[in-house]
Amino acid sequence: SFLISERIRMDKKDVIKITLELIKEKKLEKTSIGEIVKKLELSPGILYYHFRNKNEIYKETVDYSHAKIIENLNKVKAERNIQSYLHSLTRSLIRFLEEREEILCFLLSMKCSYFFDKDPESQDILIKFKKILMERTDSMKEEKILLKLSMFLGSIYEVLYMTKLVKKRNLNEEEIEEI
């Protein structure tokens, strides 16, 4: 009876939020299943009932993080001027990652991690930018656009790492304009 109520009580989003919190605090490599269940006040068996292993928790956390970013980008109103629209999307992405530092820390950690076979920079984050560019560009191939957008996202991560995580400040509007 206790085990059943504990299973019902546990929510995958709670695991994801605790995982993000621990990674921000301790880094990816030092975050363990033991610490996650300790913070959630659950037994390891309950966690393993919902997730097969640590990699599955990370995959769910990547999916959650990307969904939150896309949700945020979808709030940006489309503009006729492509440059203004791309600037608005970029500004929104930067402000979101500054506000949700735990997601920024996680994505930066995953970028250099061996936990995934493929690059965790899911195309999901870049789709909105890509669609805009594909609509307006005949000469550029899709692969070239995706490569440039991946480099763009990597640059944003690098800038935010230095300003938000190292220097402990947010970017100002001029810095965002420069990006």
Side-chain angles (χ1 to χ4, degrees):
S1 174
F2 173 72
L3 192 61
I4 292 170
S5 67
E6 196 173 7
R7 277 188 191 147
I8 293 169
R9 196 169 46 95
M10 195 199 100
D11 183 359
K12 280 187 169 187
K13 283 187 180 154
D14 292 336
V15 174
I16 291 167
K17 288 174 184 175
I18 291 298
T19 300
L20 286 168
E21 190 180 299
L22 286 168
I23 289 170
K24 178 183 171 192
E25 183 183 310
K26 297 178 178 247
K27 305 288 181 238
L28 183 72
E29 307 78 39
K30 295 180 182 176
T31 299
S32 69
I33 295 286
E35 290 173 304
I36 293 169
V37 295
K38 184 178 176 183
K39 278 254 192 193
L40 288 167
E41 298 177 351
L42 294 173
S43 68
I46 299 303
L47 187 69
Y48 285 118
Y49 177 80
H50 294 281
F51 299 96
R52 287 190 308 261
N53 54 40
K54 195 173 179 180
N55 289 353
E56 195 171 293
I57 294 171
Y58 291 153
K59 185 193 175 320
E60 292 270 346
T61 305
V62 166
D63 292 345
Y64 169 86
S65 299
H66 288 165
K68 290 296 181 187
I69 290 170
I70 295 301
E71 183 182 304
N72 182 66
L73 291 177
N74 284 336
K75 293 176 185 174
V76 176
K77 293 197 188 292
E79 298 177 34
R80 281 198 173 273
N81 179 323
I82 188 171
Q83 279 188 303
S84 296
Y85 188 39
L86 289 172
H87 178 266
S88 295
L89 287 170
T90 301
R91 183 183 185 287
S92 180
L93 175 61
I94 289 169
R95 293 298 183 222
F96 174 81
L97 290 170
E98 286 175 335
E99 183 180 306
R100 297 293 305 271
E101 197 175 306
E102 75 282 8
I103 289 177
L104 174 62
C105 289
F106 174 69
L107 293 175
L108 285 169
S109 296
M110 291 308 296
K111 192 171 174 52
C112 302
S113 173
Y114 62 88
F115 286 104
F116 281 93
D117 294 334
K118 63 181 190 108
D119 188 2
E121 296 305 340
S122 166
Q123 303 304 331
D124 296 349
I125 297 173
L126 303 175
I127 284 174
K128 196 163 200 68
F129 290 93
K130 181 184 124 191
K131 282 182 185 174
I132 295 164
L133 292 174
M134 290 298 290
E135 289 171 7
R136 306 285 203 299
T137 309
D138 297 328
S139 61
M140 240 194 258
K141 293 195 187 275
E142 186 174 348
E143 303 85 45
K144 200 173 186 180
I145 289 174
L146 281 174
L147 175 63
K148 287 182 178 192
L149 288 172
S150 292
M151 291 172 17
F152 165 73
L153 189 59
S155 298
I156 287 176
Y157 286 163
E158 184 66 28
V159 167
L160 288 175
Y161 171 78
M162 287 306 297
T163 56
K164 185 66 180 176
L165 302 179
V166 174
K167 296 179 182 175
K168 305 286 188 214
R169 70 173 185 85
N170 290 341
L171 291 170
N172 61 44
E173 287 302 317
E174 293 82 34
E175 291 168 318
I176 292 174
E177 187 68 39
E178 237 178 83
I179 291 171

